[in-house]
Amino acid sequence: MTLTDVPQSSTHRIGALVRDARRHRGLTQQQLATRLGTSQSAIARIEQGNQNLTLELLDRLSAALESELISLGPTGPTHLRVNGGHPLRGSVVVKSSKNAAVALLCAALLNRGRTTLRNVARIVEVERILDVLRSIGVSATWDPAGRDLTLVVPDELDLAAIDADAARRTRSIIMFLGPLLHRAQTFELPYAGGCDLGTRTVQPHMIALRPFGLEVEARAGEYHATVRHTGAPGRAIVLTERGDTVTENALLAAARTDGTTVIRNASSNYMVQDLCLYLQLLGVGIDGLGTTTLVVHGRSVLDADVDYTISEDPVEAMSLLTAGIVTGSELTVERAPIDFLEIELAVLAEMGLRYELSPEYLADNGHTRLADITIHPSELHAPIDKIHPMPFPGLNIDNLPFFAVIAAQAAGSTLIHDWVYDNRAIHLSDLTRLGADVRLMDPHRVLVNGPTRWSSAEVVCPPALRPAVCILLAMLAAKGTSVLRNVDIIARGYEHLYERLVEMGADLEVFHD
């Protein structure tokens, strides 16, 4: 059995409906596949009744064909049933960066012209930001294939009409501060939300934006902002933490500030580089791309029709690599942004992973280096040193949790030190439910002893994105049938993950109460 919400007896009838609707629209199988972001062979299997279907896929098919294929009633929380212990196979293509997408959506507020973003991740986090943007008057239109997004910002934003519910459910809302300080002298934003990862202070953002005249007071569940424009900062802004969103906020503020702004201790991570490349298309001069010192030559008016393709997501690439590693698979992960995976691959090589890299090639943004990574079944051993994240070019903070699952496969003891988040390491201890020996040393450190004989179990999804995916990947390795409940959080950062795992040979079933 594979991923299914639809009874097997119905798949042939639905396949015929898909075929007839496609022909009625004058589409080839390849054209429909392009609209869905899948392969022509997958469309052929659907039409032949040989592809099991999810509710999500049916909804996407209906949208792509502009025809309601099946009427579905309301559903409850989403759960996964995983029949694990099977190797994956074939290849999988890395999708675009979620973190870059939300930064660029916020950056579009700076532009008086039209912004077209290509290859945008269709995930919950993006949709929440779009809900907020539309609520304040921004026009946001998807192309017929649902991959490219065009944004037009009005001369006057209706900030009083902001969708507070959507805003409170995303931490990315804090990146509205940088653009909005150029749009209003006073404004309010709802408190930021997001994953349950402990207290994440907003103070570094306040320190970074104060030189641009922004003062923020937090009260009654909102940020109350007052702006007194002072021009370009008279001296370099030194960020107190080399954070990605902090750097992005400073860039967004500097982009429309006349004069030169120097940002020191800046993040040079992948989403920051995407943002810099977009701002350069708007006419902002930026020196130091990829370094920790950015020199921004801002302009008070940014008015350009720009077209930008978002680069591939290194965290998704690491997720897919981990899926192959823990299931002992031979698997190729295509279009992996190698610049942002080199430390991870070096650590994996030290642990005994056998892999090959294709010749490098450029992403569609003309800048990011990509490669195809083929991994082979390997006998892993614990690294000599602890595994811990660092700002780029160190091991990515969001990739750290995957090493807990990988370390559970390796012989020996591995110390995982997650010094950034207050409580994320605690969620990794849920791997013990599946047979792993994961000992919580303190809120930031876990000791993982392997190798693990994974066993099936029923687990409630932890309230943090990456640990939730780690539990799913461990279930792929565990023989027998596991259940992962309340998986909606995974949709915040991954696009069609379950379907893509099935195409690689995973045995998953989505179900609802």
Side-chain angles (χ1 to χ4, degrees), residues 197-229:
L197 294 174
T199 302
R200 293 284 303 279
T201 178
V202 298
Q203 191 60 29
H205 293 264
M206 305 303 105
I207 295 171
L209 297 177
R210 195 173 296 129
F212 298 98
L214 181 72
E215 293 292 338
V216 177
E217 181 182 352
R219 63 176 189 269
E222 292 182 323
Y223 300 125
H224 292 254
T226 304
V227 185
R228 295 178 178 83
H229 290 289

Side-chain angles (χ1 to χ4, degrees), residues 223-246:
Y223 300 125
H224 292 254
T226 304
V227 185
R228 295 178 178 83
H229 290 289
T230 57
R235 61 186 180 191
I237 296 172
V238 180
L239 302 181
T240 56
E241 70 170 38
R242 198 184 301 171
D244 302 325
T245 55
V246 175

Side-chain angles (χ1 to χ4, degrees), residues 400-469:
L400 184 72
F402 302 117
F403 279 92
V405 191
I406 295 169
Q409 293 283 103
S413 296
T414 303
L415 182 64
I416 308 285
H417 186 193
D418 189 350
W419 56 267
V420 178
Y421 294 102
D422 289 341
N423 295 320
R424 189 170 66 174
I426 294 173
H427 298 312
L428 295 174
S429 63
D430 285 345
L431 292 169
T432 59
R433 301 283 302 278
L434 295 159
D437 182 355
V438 179
R439 302 178 188 179
L440 187 65
M441 313 293 285
D442 57 49
H444 293 275
R445 297 183 303 154
V446 293
L447 185 65
V448 184
N449 294 300
T452 299
R453 292 188 62 182
W454 297 104
S455 56
S456 58
E458 181 168 325
V459 181
V460 176
C461 225
L465 173 59
R466 308 304 173 190
V469 176

Side-chain angles (χ1 to χ4, degrees), residues 202-432:
V202 298
Q203 191 60 29
H205 293 264
M206 305 303 105
I207 295 171
L209 297 177
R210 195 173 296 129
F212 298 98
L214 181 72
E215 293 292 338
V216 177
E217 181 182 352
R219 63 176 189 269
E222 292 182 323
Y223 300 125
H224 292 254
T226 304
V227 185
R228 295 178 178 83
H229 290 289
T230 57
R235 61 186 180 191
I237 296 172
V238 180
L239 302 181
T240 56
E241 70 170 38
R242 198 184 301 171
D244 302 325
T245 55
V246 175
T247 301
E248 288 166 331
N249 242 340
L251 278 167
L252 294 170
R256 274 192 56 179
T257 299
D258 267 329
T260 298
T261 301
V262 178
I263 306 171
R264 300 195 189 281
N265 196 33
S267 165
S268 50
N269 210 355
Y270 61 97
M271 70 291 285
V272 175
Q273 294 196 25
D274 265 297
L275 177 57
C276 288
L277 293 169
Y278 168 78
L279 293 175
Q280 286 174 336
L281 289 178
L282 292 184
V284 179
I286 301 177
D287 304 322
L289 178 64
T291 75
T292 57
T293 298
L294 296 174
V295 181
V296 183
H297 307 281
R299 301 170 59 185
S300 60
V301 176
L302 300 177
D303 188 352
D305 292 339
V306 297
D307 189 310
Y308 183 73
T309 303
I310 301 172
S311 66
E312 284 70 10
D313 192 333
V315 181
E316 177 175 290
M318 186 66 198
S319 309
L320 298 169
L321 288 170
T322 303
I325 291 169
V326 301
T327 54
S329 306
E330 182 158 319
L331 183 71
T332 299
V333 176
E334 299 179 1
R335 300 187 68 83
I338 199 67
D339 267 336
F340 306 100
L341 290 166
E342 288 179 327
I343 302 299
E344 285 83 342
L345 289 172
V347 173
L348 290 170
E350 181 192 346
M351 297 176 71
L353 179 69
R354 297 186 297 115
Y355 70 89
E356 298 162 2
L357 294 179
S358 73
E360 293 178 7
Y361 50 99
L362 285 180
D364 292 339
N365 66 9
H367 175 79
T368 306
R369 294 188 300 132
L370 304 179
D372 303 337
I373 306 171
T374 299
I375 59 172
H376 305 283
S378 307
E379 293 291 328
L380 301 180
H381 53 81
I384 296 173
D385 197 7
K386 68 178 182 296
I387 299 178
H388 62 97
M390 289 292 288
F392 179 78
L395 191 145
N396 192 297
I397 291 164
D398 285 334
N399 282 339
L400 184 72
F402 302 117
F403 279 92
V405 191
I406 295 169
Q409 293 283 103
S413 296
T414 303
L415 182 64
I416 308 285
H417 186 193
D418 189 350
W419 56 267
V420 178
Y421 294 102
D422 289 341
N423 295 320
R424 189 170 66 174
I426 294 173
H427 298 312
L428 295 174
S429 63
D430 285 345
L431 292 169
T432 59

Side-chain angles (χ1 to χ4, degrees), residues 498-513:
Y498 315 137
E499 294 170 17
R500 295 160 72 206
L501 289 171
V502 165
E503 289 186 355
M504 293 184 280
D507 189 344
L508 305 176
E509 177 186 358
V510 177
F511 69 99
H512 302 270
D513 291 333

